[in-house]
């Protein structure tokens, strides 16, 4: 089954930027583009005049505008559109499961993430079973970047980061771009002197261990993508801070999100949260085991 690149749109400039990014991604991957708009007729239990037909026509107009936007720029691209009769979270989460990539627009910085359709985007990011890319409408991000790195955050074991690294290496290969693999590390909250820390200190500190962990995690992907130039970057600091600092030179940032639910719902993790707030480039969030 062919898995298309999917863009969720709502008529905003941000969602048009997401559709444009999705069209470029579909072109790179040789895949069709599917543009969707979630609209569910919900009569209000208040004394307001509602016109179901007019609202449905407005929903279809959102799709037509997005389709015209991308087909004028990518005339050879196969594009389909669909109004999804579901709530946005349900509709977009289901689309992410069937898509190669789901693209959403984001409204930029702030104390609350202003993703497509308000807070719905963050809920989709926290529950989607496939990669979700957030794209800003800023000119520097809406236009295709002709140069720049793909930056990926690597954490945990090689098994933990396999899906994230696989997505990042593929993205770099498709773009002919170098890949910067970033591993951030920090000392324990309470730095207690122990035999293991003494051994690490005698060996030159903890950083060599972190460099070795990154090198081991990257090894199978270097072998699979030998043409991708890889830069290994190990830094002391929080993962979110280190990745945000790398974003101005990036054409795409790739971060992981553990695919599990917390007792209070879905979570995207502190590193993903930081880059979605502050990174100056599109951000791909990839769920992993």
């Amino acid at each position: 089954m062919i898995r298309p690149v999917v863009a969720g749109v709502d008529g905003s400039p941000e969602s048009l930027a997401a559709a444009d990014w999705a069209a470029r991604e579909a072109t790179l991957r040789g895949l069709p583009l599917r543009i969707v708009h979630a609209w569910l007729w919900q009569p209000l239990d208040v004394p307001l005049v509602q016109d179901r037909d007019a609202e449905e026509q407005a929903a279809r107009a959102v799709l037509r505008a997005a389709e015209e936007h991308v087909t004028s720029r990518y005339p050879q691209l196969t594009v389909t559109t669909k109004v999804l009769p579901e709530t946005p979270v349900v509709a977009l989460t289901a689309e992410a499961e069937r898509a190669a990539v789901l693209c959403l627009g984001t409204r930029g910085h702030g104390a609350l993430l202003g993703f497509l359709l308000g807070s719905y985007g963050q809920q989709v990011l926290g529950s989607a079973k496939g990669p979700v890319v957030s794209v800003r409408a800023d000119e520097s991000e809406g236009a295709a970047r002709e140069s720049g790195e793909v930056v990926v955050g690597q954490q945990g074991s090689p098994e933990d980061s396999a899906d994230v690294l696989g997505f990042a290496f593929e993205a770099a290969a498709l773009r002919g771009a170098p890949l910067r693999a970033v591993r951030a590390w920090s000392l324990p909250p309470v730095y207690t002197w122990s035999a293991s820390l003494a051994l690490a200190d005698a060996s030159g500190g903890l950083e060599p261990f972190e460099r070795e962990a990154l090198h081991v995690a990257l090894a199978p992907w270097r072998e699979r993508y030998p043409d991708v130039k890889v830069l290994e970057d190990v830094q002391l600091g929080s993962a979110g801070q280190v990745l945000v600092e790398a974003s101005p030179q990036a054409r795409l940032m790739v971060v992981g999100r553990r695919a599990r639910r917390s007792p209070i719902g879905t979570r995207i993790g502190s590193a993903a949260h930081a880059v979605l707030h502050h990174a100056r480039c599109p951000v791909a969030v990839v769920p992993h085991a």
Side-chain angles (χ1 to χ4, degrees), residues 24-105:
R24 295 196 301 273
E25 186 71 8
T27 300
L28 285 171
R29 291 173 176 263
L31 295 174
L33 172 67
R34 175 176 164 90
I35 306 175
V36 300
H37 175 60
W39 173 76
L40 180 64
W41 170 247
Q42 295 177 309
L44 300 175
D45 191 22
V46 292
L48 293 176
V49 176
Q50 287 184 274
D51 188 329
R52 187 185 191 286
D53 290 340
E55 290 190 23
E56 184 174 359
Q57 289 301 314
R60 297 190 183 282
V62 167
L63 287 176
R64 284 197 302 272
E67 182 179 17
E68 292 171 0
H69 177 78
V70 298
T71 54
S72 65
R73 302 184 180 198
Y74 306 91
Q76 304 303 316
L77 184 62
T78 299
V79 181
T80 59
T81 65
K82 188 173 180 62
V83 173
L84 303 176
E86 294 281 0
T87 61
V89 172
V90 171
L92 294 171
T93 301
E95 288 295 316
E97 190 167 357
R98 296 187 290 265
V101 185
L102 171 66
C103 303
L104 302 179

Side-chain angles (χ1 to χ4, degrees), residues 153-166 183 217 221 255-260 286-289:
Q154 192 278 323
Q155 292 180 296
S157 70
E159 294 76 16
D160 289 338
S161 57
D163 291 338
V164 181
L165 292 175
R183 183 179 174 98
W221 300 103
V255 294
R257 171 188 65 78
R258 190 168 293 279
R260 66 184 180 190
V286 181
H288 61 87

Side-chain angles (χ1 to χ4, degrees), residues 88-183:
V89 172
V90 171
L92 294 171
T93 301
E95 288 295 316
E97 190 167 357
R98 296 187 290 265
V101 185
L102 171 66
C103 303
L104 302 179
T106 174
R107 297 191 172 99
H109 309 278
L112 297 175
L113 292 176
F115 288 104
L116 175 76
L117 304 172
S119 63
Y120 296 143
Q122 186 169 349
Q123 295 179 55
V124 174
L125 279 163
S127 58
K129 293 184 179 179
V132 181
V133 177
S134 74
V135 182
R136 303 187 195 281
D138 184 277
E139 288 184 358
S140 65
E141 294 155 358
R145 294 189 177 189
E146 299 299 329
S147 61
E149 306 168 329
V150 172
V151 176
V152 60
Q154 192 278 323
Q155 292 180 296
S157 70
E159 294 76 16
D160 289 338
S161 57
D163 291 338
V164 181
L165 292 175
F167 184 92
F169 268 84
E170 181 182 28
L174 287 170
R175 291 161 174 78
L179 177 70
R180 179 177 296 274
V182 177
R183 183 179 174 98

